[in-house]
């Protein structure tokens, strides 16, 4: 996992879940339980990170939907801004529809 991290920013989110950073990484080898991918969600305001291990890259959309539901149900807020590194993992019509829900 040698890719560059997000560029430095002087602005921070004003409240939890105002800005979420996310990335999807692949492991060079499958894990013992056959996981090949890791998806992360970082809250810009609190620096709290959620991680999920995925067996297939196609599971990312469902994992994002679950994360949005977790935020909505447990914290009664919606995510205002979504940040990703434009690596292509979040470029699909289905993902765009997830962000609008």
């Amino acid at each position: 996992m040698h890719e560059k991290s997000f560029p430095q920013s002087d602005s921070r989110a004003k409240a939890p879940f105002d800005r979420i950073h996310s990335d999807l990484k692949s492991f060079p080898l499958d894990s013992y339980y056959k996981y090949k991918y890791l998806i992360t969600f970082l809250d810009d305001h609190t620096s709290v990170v959620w991680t999920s291990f995925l067996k297939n890259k196609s599971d990312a959309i469902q994992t994002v939907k679950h994360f949005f539901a977790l935020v909505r149900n447990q914290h009664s807020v919606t995510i205002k801004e979504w940040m990703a590194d434009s690596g292509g993992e979040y470029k699909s019509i289905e993902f765009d529809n997830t962000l609008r829900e």
Side-chain angles (χ1 to χ4, degrees):
M1 295 187 194
H2 300 286
E3 285 116 28
K4 293 181 181 179
S5 61
F6 292 106
Q8 290 289 343
S9 174
D10 294 331
S11 67
R12 293 294 299 245
K14 305 263 188 261
F17 305 109
D18 275 359
R19 182 181 302 138
I20 297 292
H21 300 272
S22 183
D23 203 4
L24 179 66
K25 297 287 186 184
S26 63
F27 298 124
L29 299 171
D30 291 0
S31 73
Y32 180 79
Y33 292 105
K34 305 295 183 209
Y35 291 109
K36 182 151 179 81
Y37 300 94
L38 168 74
I39 190 168
T40 59
F41 305 100
L42 168 74
D43 179 47
D44 192 73
H45 181 74
T46 62
S47 296
V48 172
V49 176
W50 294 261
T51 60
S52 291
F53 295 99
L54 309 174
K55 292 184 179 180
N56 302 303
K57 196 172 189 178
S58 60
D59 297 337
I61 297 292
Q62 193 62 36
T63 303
V64 170
K65 287 180 181 181
H66 286 167
F67 180 73
F68 276 52
L70 174 126
V71 170
R72 195 170 42 250
N73 294 332
Q74 290 190 359
H75 302 282
S76 301
V77 296
T78 57
I79 296 168
K80 293 183 177 59
E81 188 177 5
W82 182 263
M83 305 293 289
D85 65 356
S86 300
E89 59 265 22
Y90 298 122
K91 292 182 181 178
S92 73
I93 293 171
E94 186 179 358
F95 181 72
D96 289 342
N97 292 338
T98 299
L99 289 177
R100 290 188 191 117
E101 291 177 356

